[in-house]
Amino acid sequence: MLTIHTAEEGVTVAVAGDRVAAVGSYEELAERFPGARVRRWPGRLGPARVHEGPLPDAPTPRERVHEVLKLGAVAVLAEHADTPELRAAADRNHVLVLPRSGSLPLTESARADLAVFTPEGECVATVCAGRLVHRRR
């Protein structure tokens, strides 16, 4: 199934499986993929973040990883995913564990990692490897 993610600002992204199918304007992608499901978000859509500090406190490793997803991040630094339990929780949730800081590409054929933020910086939605893993209700 193909999904088009669009927001009030930023790019519009077509996602197929765990990959970016296309990036462009909403009009271009709606014309190119007429049967796609459309998700409209308030805020600005762009690449997901890399969480560069310690993972937030929570009762379990799974919940610590979920807290990162709620912040619009789909990757953590290896130095902060420093236990087998945290790495397993990250792996189960398709969260990348990176050796160093960097940015994630939001280009055609790249892994579909994107997020939507309000002007105040609050995460509205996070898509990790093509899956909607967080949305603010």
Side-chain angles (χ1 to χ4, degrees):
M1 174 194 272
L2 193 108
T3 302
I4 294 174
H5 293 270
T6 190
E8 296 163 345
E9 296 179 41
V11 299
T12 294
V13 181
V15 174
D18 69 346
R19 297 286 155 189
V20 173
V23 177
S25 72
Y26 173 75
E27 293 77 18
E28 292 169 332
L29 299 187
E31 183 177 319
R32 185 170 165 194
F33 305 105
R37 175 184 190 173
V38 176
R39 288 192 179 265
R40 297 180 189 278
W41 303 105
R44 182 172 187 79
L45 188 147
R49 295 178 175 167
V50 175
H51 186 77
E52 297 183 354
L55 277 67
D57 286 332
T60 67
R62 183 193 67 77
E63 290 170 297
R64 292 179 73 189
V65 168
H66 186 69
E67 288 299 315
V68 169
L69 294 169
K70 289 170 37 178
L71 297 172
V74 299
V76 298
L77 297 182
E79 67 186 274
H80 299 296
D82 54 359
T83 68
E85 295 82 12
L86 276 176
R87 285 185 184 249
D91 187 52
R92 279 192 305 276
N93 288 283
H94 305 286
V95 170
L96 300 169
V97 177
L98 304 177
R100 63 188 172 287
S101 184
S103 60
L104 301 174
L106 192 54
T107 56
E108 194 169 319
S109 300
R111 195 175 100 143
D113 294 323
L114 51 117
V116 182
F117 297 94
T118 66
E120 298 75 32
E122 184 177 5
C123 183
V124 174
T126 307
V127 174
C128 178
R131 289 180 33 241
L132 178 64
V133 292
H134 164 70
R135 71 174 166 217
R136 188 180 70 186
R137 295 182 190 243

